[in-house]
Amino acid sequence: MSEHHATIDWTLGDADFTYETYPRAHSWRFGGAVEVPASSAPEYKGDPERVDPEEGLVAAVSSCHMLTLLAIAAKKRLTVTSYADRATGYMETNDEGRLAVTRIVLRPDITFAEPVPDEAAIERLHEGAHRNCFIANSIKAEVTVEAP
């Protein structure tokens, strides 16, 4: 169907290679042009000024849900004029006793042009977006949507 590529670059530099001292900073490159400064989460000695993989996962789920919802709305001739999400991923111990992002909560705030769909129609948009989001279909974490 399609392929998606990312290049991850990391170097040790002048640091000692011990758990306490090796640098967590690295970069994500997409399509050769876009570069994202990344690191491990601050709880794992990472740089809080950089994106960590867990944040990247949450952003990917949120972005996929939004893009899928926009496509469904457009096909239904509903006009979305803005969409903002304050998504949260929860790192917890999973059923196998391992740390994992076990659930992601999306909190989208969507504005529609007239005619504004009713709550039931908006719920159907979210259900369709969740059911068809490629990223949500690819992960084990529970993904829920909370209405504002």
Side-chain angles (χ1 to χ4, degrees), residues 28 30 37 39 80:
W28 300 347
F30 304 96
S39 181
V80 176

Side-chain angles (χ1 to χ4, degrees), residues 16-127:
D16 289 332
F17 191 73
T18 69
Y19 182 79
E20 295 298 323
T21 61
Y22 74 86
R24 274 62 171 176
H26 58 284
S27 65
W28 300 347
R29 244 185 0 269
F30 304 96
V34 176
E35 186 168 323
V36 175
S39 181
S40 60
E43 298 84 355
Y44 299 98
K45 304 190 179 303
D47 182 346
E49 299 296 315
R50 292 173 170 251
V51 176
D52 64 61
E54 298 81 8
E55 291 170 324
L57 175 64
V58 172
V61 169
S62 175
S63 179
C64 184
H65 184 89
M66 177 195 71
L67 292 168
T68 306
L69 185 139
L70 294 176
I72 294 168
K75 288 179 180 182
K76 292 184 176 295
R77 300 181 190 259
L78 297 170
T79 301
V80 176
T81 59
S82 69
Y83 186 112
D85 189 5
R86 294 182 292 81
T88 304
Y90 295 90
M91 180 96 81
E92 302 167 320
T93 303
N94 67 13
D95 293 340
E96 291 130 18
R98 295 184 226 162
L99 279 179
V101 176
T102 58
R103 55 194 174 99
I104 297 171
V105 178
L106 307 179
R107 296 177 185 88
D109 184 8
I110 307 169
T111 304
F112 293 89
E114 294 293 334
V116 175
D118 63 23
E119 290 301 316
I122 294 171
E123 180 63 29
R124 287 191 299 276
L125 286 172
H126 283 300
E127 289 170 1

